Amino acid sequence: MASASRATPDKLPAWQTLKQHAEELKGVHLKTLFGSDQSRWSNFTRQVAGLTLDLSKQRWDDDTLEHLLALAHDAGVPGAIDSLLSGKRVNVSENRPALHTALRLPADATLNVEGEDIVAGVHESLAQMERLVCRLHAGQWRGATGKPIRHVVNLGVGGSDLGPLMVTHALADCRPDDIHPVEVHFASTMDGSQLADYLSRFNPETTIFVLSSKSFTTIDTLSNANTARDWLLGRLTQQGDFVSTPAVSAELIVRQHFIGVSASPQKMSEWGIAPDHQLTFWEWVGGRYSLWGTIGLPIALVIGMDHFRELLAGAHAMDRHFREAPMEDNLPVLLALAGIWNVNFLDIRAHSILPYDGRLEYFAAYLEQLEMESNGKSVTRQGQAVSYSTCPVLWGQLGPNAQHAFYQLLHQGTQPVVCDFIAPLKRYDEVEDPDTRRHLKSQHRLALANCFAQSRVLMLGDDALEDDGPRPEHKRYRGNQPSTTVLLDKLTPHSLGALIALYEHKVFVQAVIWDINPFDQWGVELGKQIATDTQAIIDGEGDVSRMDASSRGLIEAFWAAEQNE
Ligand code: F6P
């Protein structure tokens, strides 16, 4: 990481140069930049690990990139990349490394961290996960009444939910054929609504729960876990409707129906998870960076271990590129610099993630946590308030659906927004029926046409039309909205791994330049603490009169509703 004594980024000479340069470029429309440079596509496009990154529709030119690269150098990005990948304690507020990249190192690699090679342990944890996956896939894992498992419900939230949810959805096509059919589901919300649905539909004899929680203290997950445990105990310890064999012991039920995944084996044991059904990982894996290890169990259950290892290999290919490629060709560095330019110099603080492939439905939700929990910070690594903007507001949805929802604002609103368009080049080759394949391939072409058209209209505005005749103002498009397009050769475990790692490293590079710590999340702690106090008051164990008028009014409304039940 950059040295503790380094100047804040806005004091670096390159920052000042960029400010001046932004003034000069401010009035220049993107269409003019394209008009004056025929080689923009080749100048601003790079390819690696099955990904093509097109940054030509950013509102910048060759000089901008040169100044941004100087800023990255001055901010110490090359040294910081080395610190991250070699296991230095880059998470300063928690005094530990952030070693998610170690989770995807090949088995024959070595990584010495503070005197210990950690790669063997990583691969042992993967092997342990594989053993559980194999038992479930072989139909050998039996519930307490002896039946093979049909439903696996992941109970987790944040990083213990979003990564596995996103990847299992994206790669559902990769499911191996020759396995006992195990369906994977996710319940995250503390209000129990997802869980309630599963409990109303699933047979407790053939359902198991994975308690996924790095800390194993998250109330959202533990409240779901307690409800699930009582549901199982209530149904399987007596001769209920579901039970086909004599009732079984509570101990056996908890043993056979719960797997734990956590960095705290002690807390898993205290909850009752059997030691051989515990998968562990390390404090040096951040929650939102954890899908690559045992938190990825739901992923391995859906796509199989071979594909899971391809996902790791794709991410590792991006890690190597991140370490080895010169900054001007380094995809995560370039993507990060485009973001810095937009936020800090063009004052664009809204960023939309728009995949044109239904399999990437949860990608935006995943990135919302990755980017905003990592870089939604306002103090430097040394604890000083920053005097510049950091992470933009990031949100998204499947692009084709968002076209019918919020694209109006992108095209004609008052707010500048930068967009990331993401799409695979090839799709549906494996569909067997020729007619269906033809139809689906034409739908894929339709989606790509829309993806390319939208970024073009956002860039050119009215000039996208050949005949830009007279029209009323409400039918005019000003364009000049910047965007990035990421093309995947094909959506595979390998390319998805590379794509996720691309964004992880982009977030890191931005954090280095902003001089913030992307690996902690202290901003969420106060809310948890106040929620605990509020719960006590709601339960009648605290003094409601100490609260502000609004919070008191809300609690009293709840009490009144309860009394009317
Ligand atoms: O509250 C935020 C957070 O700590 C996230 O960083 C994390 O991914 C999520 O909660 C879940 O945490 P855990 O895996 O410890 O249950």
Side-chain angles (χ1 to χ4, degrees), residues 487-515:
L487 297 175
L488 292 80
D489 291 348
K490 237 181 129 182
L491 179 58
T492 62
H494 195 277
S495 67
L496 183 63
L499 180 72
I500 301 168
L502 167 69
Y503 277 93
E504 283 180 348
H505 295 325
K506 167 215 153 166
V507 165
F508 176 71
V509 171
Q510 292 189 332
V512 173
I513 294 175
W514 286 324
D515 196 18

PDB file of all heavy atoms in Angstrom, residues 487-515:
ATOM      1  N   LEU A 487     -17.054  -6.990 -22.833  1.00  0.00           N
ATOM      2  CA  LEU A 487     -17.561  -8.145 -23.575  1.00  0.00           C
ATOM      3  C   LEU A 487     -16.868  -9.401 -23.071  1.00  0.00           C
ATOM      4  O   LEU A 487     -15.643  -9.412 -22.890  1.00  0.00           O
ATOM      5  CB  LEU A 487     -17.276  -7.977 -25.066  1.00  0.00           C
ATOM      6  CG  LEU A 487     -17.958  -6.786 -25.748  1.00  0.00           C
ATOM      7  CD1 LEU A 487     -17.477  -6.663 -27.197  1.00  0.00           C
ATOM      8  CD2 LEU A 487     -19.473  -6.939 -25.706  1.00  0.00           C
ATOM      9  N   LEU A 488     -17.650 -10.442 -22.848  1.00  0.00           N
ATOM     10  CA  LEU A 488     -17.066 -11.744 -22.506  1.00  0.00           C
ATOM     11  C   LEU A 488     -17.109 -12.576 -23.781  1.00  0.00           C
ATOM     12  O   LEU A 488     -18.146 -12.576 -24.469  1.00  0.00           O
ATOM     13  CB  LEU A 488     -17.886 -12.451 -21.426  1.00  0.00           C
ATOM     14  CG  LEU A 488     -17.893 -11.843 -20.023  1.00  0.00           C
ATOM     15  CD1 LEU A 488     -18.855 -10.670 -19.931  1.00  0.00           C
ATOM     16  CD2 LEU A 488     -18.310 -12.897 -19.005  1.00  0.00           C
ATOM     17  N   ASP A 489     -16.027 -13.294 -24.103  1.00  0.00           N
ATOM     18  CA  ASP A 489     -16.099 -14.141 -25.300  1.00  0.00           C
ATOM     19  C   ASP A 489     -17.324 -15.029 -25.179  1.00  0.00           C
ATOM     20  O   ASP A 489     -18.091 -15.228 -26.109  1.00  0.00           O
ATOM     21  CB  ASP A 489     -14.843 -15.032 -25.417  1.00  0.00           C
ATOM     22  CG  ASP A 489     -13.610 -14.186 -25.742  1.00  0.00           C
ATOM     23  OD1 ASP A 489     -13.784 -13.004 -26.081  1.00  0.00           O
ATOM     24  OD2 ASP A 489     -12.483 -14.718 -25.625  1.00  0.00           O
ATOM     25  N   LYS A 490     -17.485 -15.592 -23.972  1.00  0.00           N
ATOM     26  CA  LYS A 490     -18.610 -16.462 -23.637  1.00  0.00           C
ATOM     27  C   LYS A 490     -18.741 -16.391 -22.134  1.00  0.00           C
ATOM     28  O   LYS A 490     -17.730 -16.195 -21.448  1.00  0.00           O
ATOM     29  CB  LYS A 490     -18.236 -17.904 -24.001  1.00  0.00           C
ATOM     30  CG  LYS A 490     -19.133 -18.601 -24.954  1.00  0.00           C
ATOM     31  CD  LYS A 490     -18.662 -20.010 -25.188  1.00  0.00           C
ATOM     32  CE  LYS A 490     -19.864 -20.899 -24.959  1.00  0.00           C
ATOM     33  NZ  LYS A 490     -19.562 -22.292 -25.093  1.00  0.00           N
ATOM     34  N   LEU A 491     -19.917 -16.552 -21.597  1.00  0.00           N
ATOM     35  CA  LEU A 491     -20.042 -16.589 -20.129  1.00  0.00           C
ATOM     36  C   LEU A 491     -19.746 -18.019 -19.666  1.00  0.00           C
ATOM     37  O   LEU A 491     -20.534 -18.933 -19.905  1.00  0.00           O
ATOM     38  CB  LEU A 491     -21.441 -16.158 -19.693  1.00  0.00           C
ATOM     39  CG  LEU A 491     -21.701 -16.174 -18.184  1.00  0.00           C
ATOM     40  CD1 LEU A 491     -20.724 -15.275 -17.431  1.00  0.00           C
ATOM     41  CD2 LEU A 491     -23.133 -15.741 -17.879  1.00  0.00           C
ATOM     42  N   THR A 492     -18.578 -18.197 -19.078  1.00  0.00           N
ATOM     43  CA  THR A 492     -18.151 -19.514 -18.584  1.00  0.00           C
ATOM     44  C   THR A 492     -17.647 -19.312 -17.159  1.00  0.00           C
ATOM     45  O   THR A 492     -17.415 -18.174 -16.733  1.00  0.00           O
ATOM     46  CB  THR A 492     -16.976 -20.059 -19.427  1.00  0.00           C
ATOM     47  OG1 THR A 492     -15.871 -19.128 -19.279  1.00  0.00           O
ATOM     48  CG2 THR A 492     -17.329 -20.198 -20.896  1.00  0.00           C
ATOM     49  N   PRO A 493     -17.407 -20.396 -16.410  1.00  0.00           N
ATOM     50  CA  PRO A 493     -16.822 -20.207 -15.083  1.00  0.00           C
ATOM     51  C   PRO A 493     -15.524 -19.409 -15.160  1.00  0.00           C
ATOM     52  O   PRO A 493     -15.266 -18.531 -14.337  1.00  0.00           O
ATOM     53  CB  PRO A 493     -16.577 -21.648 -14.603  1.00  0.00           C
ATOM     54  CG  PRO A 493     -17.606 -22.453 -15.320  1.00  0.00           C
ATOM     55  CD  PRO A 493     -17.763 -21.800 -16.668  1.00  0.00           C
ATOM     56  N   HIS A 494     -14.698 -19.693 -16.165  1.00  0.00           N
ATOM     57  CA  HIS A 494     -13.407 -19.012 -16.289  1.00  0.00           C
ATOM     58  C   HIS A 494     -13.598 -17.514 -16.532  1.00  0.00           C
ATOM     59  O   HIS A 494     -12.999 -16.675 -15.853  1.00  0.00           O
ATOM     60  CB  HIS A 494     -12.611 -19.655 -17.430  1.00  0.00           C
ATOM     61  CG  HIS A 494     -11.149 -19.296 -17.419  1.00  0.00           C
ATOM     62  ND1 HIS A 494     -10.674 -18.126 -17.969  1.00  0.00           N
ATOM     63  CD2 HIS A 494     -10.070 -19.951 -16.914  1.00  0.00           C
ATOM     64  CE1 HIS A 494      -9.355 -18.072 -17.815  1.00  0.00           C
ATOM     65  NE2 HIS A 494      -8.960 -19.166 -17.168  1.00  0.00           N
ATOM     66  N   SER A 495     -14.452 -17.165 -17.497  1.00  0.00           N
ATOM     67  CA  SER A 495     -14.583 -15.731 -17.817  1.00  0.00           C
ATOM     68  C   SER A 495     -15.309 -14.998 -16.693  1.00  0.00           C
ATOM     69  O   SER A 495     -15.017 -13.832 -16.421  1.00  0.00           O
ATOM     70  CB  SER A 495     -15.279 -15.522 -19.170  1.00  0.00           C
ATOM     71  OG  SER A 495     -16.622 -15.945 -19.120  1.00  0.00           O
ATOM     72  N   LEU A 496     -16.240 -15.668 -16.011  1.00  0.00           N
ATOM     73  CA  LEU A 496     -16.914 -14.995 -14.894  1.00  0.00           C
ATOM     74  C   LEU A 496     -15.919 -14.742 -13.756  1.00  0.00           C
ATOM     75  O   LEU A 496     -15.917 -13.669 -13.155  1.00  0.00           O
ATOM     76  CB  LEU A 496     -18.102 -15.825 -14.388  1.00  0.00           C
ATOM     77  CG  LEU A 496     -18.905 -15.157 -13.268  1.00  0.00           C
ATOM     78  CD1 LEU A 496     -19.562 -13.853 -13.739  1.00  0.00           C
ATOM     79  CD2 LEU A 496     -19.969 -16.096 -12.700  1.00  0.00           C
ATOM     80  N   GLY A 497     -15.054 -15.732 -13.502  1.00  0.00           N
ATOM     81  CA  GLY A 497     -14.023 -15.537 -12.476  1.00  0.00           C
ATOM     82  C   GLY A 497     -13.162 -14.323 -12.805  1.00  0.00           C
ATOM     83  O   GLY A 497     -12.873 -13.483 -11.943  1.00  0.00           O
ATOM     84  N   ALA A 498     -12.787 -14.215 -14.081  1.00  0.00           N
ATOM     85  CA  ALA A 498     -11.950 -13.072 -14.496  1.00  0.00           C
ATOM     86  C   ALA A 498     -12.712 -11.759 -14.356  1.00  0.00           C
ATOM     87  O   ALA A 498     -12.157 -10.741 -13.931  1.00  0.00           O
ATOM     88  CB  ALA A 498     -11.483 -13.274 -15.937  1.00  0.00           C
ATOM     89  N   LEU A 499     -13.982 -11.786 -14.708  1.00  0.00           N
ATOM     90  CA  LEU A 499     -14.801 -10.560 -14.634  1.00  0.00           C
ATOM     91  C   LEU A 499     -14.914 -10.075 -13.183  1.00  0.00           C
ATOM     92  O   LEU A 499     -14.757  -8.880 -12.901  1.00  0.00           O
ATOM     93  CB  LEU A 499     -16.201 -10.847 -15.202  1.00  0.00           C
ATOM     94  CG  LEU A 499     -17.180  -9.670 -15.186  1.00  0.00           C
ATOM     95  CD1 LEU A 499     -16.808  -8.626 -16.234  1.00  0.00           C
ATOM     96  CD2 LEU A 499     -18.623 -10.148 -15.423  1.00  0.00           C
ATOM     97  N   ILE A 500     -15.194 -10.995 -12.271  1.00  0.00           N
ATOM     98  CA  ILE A 500     -15.347 -10.592 -10.861  1.00  0.00           C
ATOM     99  C   ILE A 500     -14.013 -10.040 -10.339  1.00  0.00           C
ATOM    100  O   ILE A 500     -13.965  -9.002  -9.679  1.00  0.00           O
ATOM    101  CB  ILE A 500     -15.823 -11.784  -9.994  1.00  0.00           C
ATOM    102  CG1 ILE A 500     -17.165 -12.319 -10.494  1.00  0.00           C
ATOM    103  CG2 ILE A 500     -15.941 -11.363  -8.528  1.00  0.00           C
ATOM    104  CD1 ILE A 500     -17.554 -13.671  -9.888  1.00  0.00           C
ATOM    105  N   ALA A 501     -12.928 -10.744 -10.669  1.00  0.00           N
ATOM    106  CA  ALA A 501     -11.610 -10.292 -10.195  1.00  0.00           C
ATOM    107  C   ALA A 501     -11.264  -8.920 -10.790  1.00  0.00           C
ATOM    108  O   ALA A 501     -10.621  -8.091 -10.134  1.00  0.00           O
ATOM    109  CB  ALA A 501     -10.539 -11.317 -10.541  1.00  0.00           C
ATOM    110  N   LEU A 502     -11.684  -8.695 -12.035  1.00  0.00           N
ATOM    111  CA  LEU A 502     -11.463  -7.376 -12.657  1.00  0.00           C
ATOM    112  C   LEU A 502     -12.062  -6.278 -11.777  1.00  0.00           C
ATOM    113  O   LEU A 502     -11.419  -5.264 -11.483  1.00  0.00           O
ATOM    114  CB  LEU A 502     -12.116  -7.363 -14.054  1.00  0.00           C
ATOM    115  CG  LEU A 502     -12.270  -6.013 -14.742  1.00  0.00           C
ATOM    116  CD1 LEU A 502     -10.920  -5.445 -15.147  1.00  0.00           C
ATOM    117  CD2 LEU A 502     -13.169  -6.128 -15.988  1.00  0.00           C
ATOM    118  N   TYR A 503     -13.294  -6.481 -11.346  1.00  0.00           N
ATOM    119  CA  TYR A 503     -13.950  -5.462 -10.523  1.00  0.00           C
ATOM    120  C   TYR A 503     -13.331  -5.398  -9.124  1.00  0.00           C
ATOM    121  O   TYR A 503     -13.188  -4.310  -8.560  1.00  0.00           O
ATOM    122  CB  TYR A 503     -15.466  -5.714 -10.465  1.00  0.00           C
ATOM    123  CG  TYR A 503     -16.179  -5.133 -11.671  1.00  0.00           C
ATOM    124  CD1 TYR A 503     -16.427  -5.900 -12.806  1.00  0.00           C
ATOM    125  CD2 TYR A 503     -16.570  -3.802 -11.698  1.00  0.00           C
ATOM    126  CE1 TYR A 503     -17.064  -5.366 -13.923  1.00  0.00           C
ATOM    127  CE2 TYR A 503     -17.202  -3.250 -12.811  1.00  0.00           C
ATOM    128  CZ  TYR A 503     -17.452  -4.036 -13.913  1.00  0.00           C
ATOM    129  OH  TYR A 503     -18.071  -3.488 -15.015  1.00  0.00           O
ATOM    130  N   GLU A 504     -12.981  -6.545  -8.546  1.00  0.00           N
ATOM    131  CA  GLU A 504     -12.330  -6.510  -7.221  1.00  0.00           C
ATOM    132  C   GLU A 504     -11.086  -5.629  -7.270  1.00  0.00           C
ATOM    133  O   GLU A 504     -10.855  -4.799  -6.385  1.00  0.00           O
ATOM    134  CB  GLU A 504     -11.898  -7.915  -6.791  1.00  0.00           C
ATOM    135  CG  GLU A 504     -12.996  -8.808  -6.295  1.00  0.00           C
ATOM    136  CD  GLU A 504     -12.481 -10.184  -5.884  1.00  0.00           C
ATOM    137  OE1 GLU A 504     -11.313 -10.533  -6.197  1.00  0.00           O
ATOM    138  OE2 GLU A 504     -13.238 -10.930  -5.264  1.00  0.00           O
ATOM    139  N   HIS A 505     -10.278  -5.835  -8.304  1.00  0.00           N
ATOM    140  CA  HIS A 505      -9.011  -5.097  -8.377  1.00  0.00           C
ATOM    141  C   HIS A 505      -9.230  -3.629  -8.749  1.00  0.00           C
ATOM    142  O   HIS A 505      -8.483  -2.763  -8.326  1.00  0.00           O
ATOM    143  CB  HIS A 505      -8.061  -5.773  -9.368  1.00  0.00           C
ATOM    144  CG  HIS A 505      -7.654  -7.141  -8.921  1.00  0.00           C
ATOM    145  ND1 HIS A 505      -7.460  -7.473  -7.600  1.00  0.00           N
ATOM    146  CD2 HIS A 505      -7.408  -8.283  -9.622  1.00  0.00           C
ATOM    147  CE1 HIS A 505      -7.111  -8.744  -7.503  1.00  0.00           C
ATOM    148  NE2 HIS A 505      -7.070  -9.258  -8.714  1.00  0.00           N
ATOM    149  N   LYS A 506     -10.254  -3.382  -9.541  1.00  0.00           N
ATOM    150  CA  LYS A 506     -10.604  -1.986  -9.847  1.00  0.00           C
ATOM    151  C   LYS A 506     -10.898  -1.240  -8.548  1.00  0.00           C
ATOM    152  O   LYS A 506     -10.411  -0.123  -8.317  1.00  0.00           O
ATOM    153  CB  LYS A 506     -11.831  -1.967 -10.768  1.00  0.00           C
ATOM    154  CG  LYS A 506     -12.468  -0.609 -10.891  1.00  0.00           C
ATOM    155  CD  LYS A 506     -13.971  -0.681 -11.018  1.00  0.00           C
ATOM    156  CE  LYS A 506     -14.595   0.581 -10.481  1.00  0.00           C
ATOM    157  NZ  LYS A 506     -16.003   0.754 -10.840  1.00  0.00           N
ATOM    158  N   VAL A 507     -11.695  -1.873  -7.694  1.00  0.00           N
ATOM    159  CA  VAL A 507     -12.064  -1.266  -6.403  1.00  0.00           C
ATOM    160  C   VAL A 507     -10.797  -0.995  -5.583  1.00  0.00           C
ATOM    161  O   VAL A 507     -10.653   0.063  -4.960  1.00  0.00           O
ATOM    162  CB  VAL A 507     -13.036  -2.215  -5.653  1.00  0.00           C
ATOM    163  CG1 VAL A 507     -13.164  -1.834  -4.186  1.00  0.00           C
ATOM    164  CG2 VAL A 507     -14.403  -2.196  -6.325  1.00  0.00           C
ATOM    165  N   PHE A 508      -9.874  -1.935  -5.615  1.00  0.00           N
ATOM    166  CA  PHE A 508      -8.635  -1.771  -4.842  1.00  0.00           C
ATOM    167  C   PHE A 508      -7.815  -0.579  -5.358  1.00  0.00           C
ATOM    168  O   PHE A 508      -7.340   0.253  -4.587  1.00  0.00           O
ATOM    169  CB  PHE A 508      -7.812  -3.062  -4.896  1.00  0.00           C
ATOM    170  CG  PHE A 508      -6.481  -2.937  -4.201  1.00  0.00           C
ATOM    171  CD1 PHE A 508      -6.411  -2.848  -2.819  1.00  0.00           C
ATOM    172  CD2 PHE A 508      -5.300  -2.888  -4.930  1.00  0.00           C
ATOM    173  CE1 PHE A 508      -5.187  -2.711  -2.165  1.00  0.00           C
ATOM    174  CE2 PHE A 508      -4.076  -2.754  -4.292  1.00  0.00           C
ATOM    175  CZ  PHE A 508      -4.025  -2.669  -2.904  1.00  0.00           C
ATOM    176  N   VAL A 509      -7.660  -0.511  -6.677  1.00  0.00           N
ATOM    177  CA  VAL A 509      -6.849   0.581  -7.251  1.00  0.00           C
ATOM    178  C   VAL A 509      -7.479   1.938  -6.914  1.00  0.00           C
ATOM    179  O   VAL A 509      -6.776   2.891  -6.545  1.00  0.00           O
ATOM    180  CB  VAL A 509      -6.694   0.394  -8.783  1.00  0.00           C
ATOM    181  CG1 VAL A 509      -6.050   1.624  -9.419  1.00  0.00           C
ATOM    182  CG2 VAL A 509      -5.865  -0.844  -9.083  1.00  0.00           C
ATOM    183  N   GLN A 510      -8.788   2.011  -6.998  1.00  0.00           N
ATOM    184  CA  GLN A 510      -9.433   3.285  -6.652  1.00  0.00           C
ATOM    185  C   GLN A 510      -9.174   3.632  -5.183  1.00  0.00           C
ATOM    186  O   GLN A 510      -8.904   4.782  -4.842  1.00  0.00           O
ATOM    187  CB  GLN A 510     -10.932   3.208  -6.933  1.00  0.00           C
ATOM    188  CG  GLN A 510     -11.210   3.115  -8.435  1.00  0.00           C
ATOM    189  CD  GLN A 510     -12.675   3.252  -8.796  1.00  0.00           C
ATOM    190  OE1 GLN A 510     -13.546   2.905  -7.996  1.00  0.00           O
ATOM    191  NE2 GLN A 510     -12.950   3.724  -9.994  1.00  0.00           N
ATOM    192  N   ALA A 511      -9.254   2.616  -4.314  1.00  0.00           N
ATOM    193  CA  ALA A 511      -9.014   2.857  -2.882  1.00  0.00           C
ATOM    194  C   ALA A 511      -7.599   3.366  -2.656  1.00  0.00           C
ATOM    195  O   ALA A 511      -7.370   4.256  -1.828  1.00  0.00           O
ATOM    196  CB  ALA A 511      -9.253   1.579  -2.094  1.00  0.00           C
ATOM    197  N   VAL A 512      -6.645   2.814  -3.402  1.00  0.00           N
ATOM    198  CA  VAL A 512      -5.252   3.261  -3.240  1.00  0.00           C
ATOM    199  C   VAL A 512      -5.156   4.737  -3.621  1.00  0.00           C
ATOM    200  O   VAL A 512      -4.560   5.541  -2.900  1.00  0.00           O
ATOM    201  CB  VAL A 512      -4.293   2.405  -4.107  1.00  0.00           C
ATOM    202  CG1 VAL A 512      -2.882   2.971  -4.066  1.00  0.00           C
ATOM    203  CG2 VAL A 512      -4.309   0.953  -3.648  1.00  0.00           C
ATOM    204  N   ILE A 513      -5.768   5.086  -4.738  1.00  0.00           N
ATOM    205  CA  ILE A 513      -5.675   6.480  -5.183  1.00  0.00           C
ATOM    206  C   ILE A 513      -6.403   7.404  -4.202  1.00  0.00           C
ATOM    207  O   ILE A 513      -5.912   8.479  -3.861  1.00  0.00           O
ATOM    208  CB  ILE A 513      -6.204   6.625  -6.627  1.00  0.00           C
ATOM    209  CG1 ILE A 513      -5.260   5.868  -7.560  1.00  0.00           C
ATOM    210  CG2 ILE A 513      -6.331   8.100  -7.033  1.00  0.00           C
ATOM    211  CD1 ILE A 513      -5.672   5.790  -8.993  1.00  0.00           C
ATOM    212  N   TRP A 514      -7.551   6.963  -3.705  1.00  0.00           N
ATOM    213  CA  TRP A 514      -8.298   7.802  -2.740  1.00  0.00           C
ATOM    214  C   TRP A 514      -7.680   7.727  -1.333  1.00  0.00           C
ATOM    215  O   TRP A 514      -8.142   8.401  -0.416  1.00  0.00           O
ATOM    216  CB  TRP A 514      -9.765   7.361  -2.689  1.00  0.00           C
ATOM    217  CG  TRP A 514     -10.562   7.764  -3.899  1.00  0.00           C
ATOM    218  CD1 TRP A 514     -10.429   8.911  -4.604  1.00  0.00           C
ATOM    219  CD2 TRP A 514     -11.625   7.016  -4.526  1.00  0.00           C
ATOM    220  NE1 TRP A 514     -11.355   8.940  -5.644  1.00  0.00           N
ATOM    221  CE2 TRP A 514     -12.095   7.790  -5.614  1.00  0.00           C
ATOM    222  CE3 TRP A 514     -12.222   5.782  -4.286  1.00  0.00           C
ATOM    223  CZ2 TRP A 514     -13.132   7.375  -6.451  1.00  0.00           C
ATOM    224  CZ3 TRP A 514     -13.264   5.364  -5.114  1.00  0.00           C
ATOM    225  CH2 TRP A 514     -13.710   6.140  -6.193  1.00  0.00           C
ATOM    226  N   ASP A 515      -6.706   6.843  -1.168  1.00  0.00           N
ATOM    227  CA  ASP A 515      -6.039   6.665   0.124  1.00  0.00           C
ATOM    228  C   ASP A 515      -7.017   6.246   1.232  1.00  0.00           C
ATOM    229  O   ASP A 515      -6.961   6.729   2.365  1.00  0.00           O
ATOM    230  CB  ASP A 515      -5.309   7.970   0.518  1.00  0.00           C
ATOM    231  CG  ASP A 515      -4.292   7.731   1.630  1.00  0.00           C
ATOM    232  OD1 ASP A 515      -3.910   6.572   1.834  1.00  0.00           O
ATOM    233  OD2 ASP A 515      -3.909   8.710   2.298  1.00  0.00           O
TER     234      ASP A 515
END
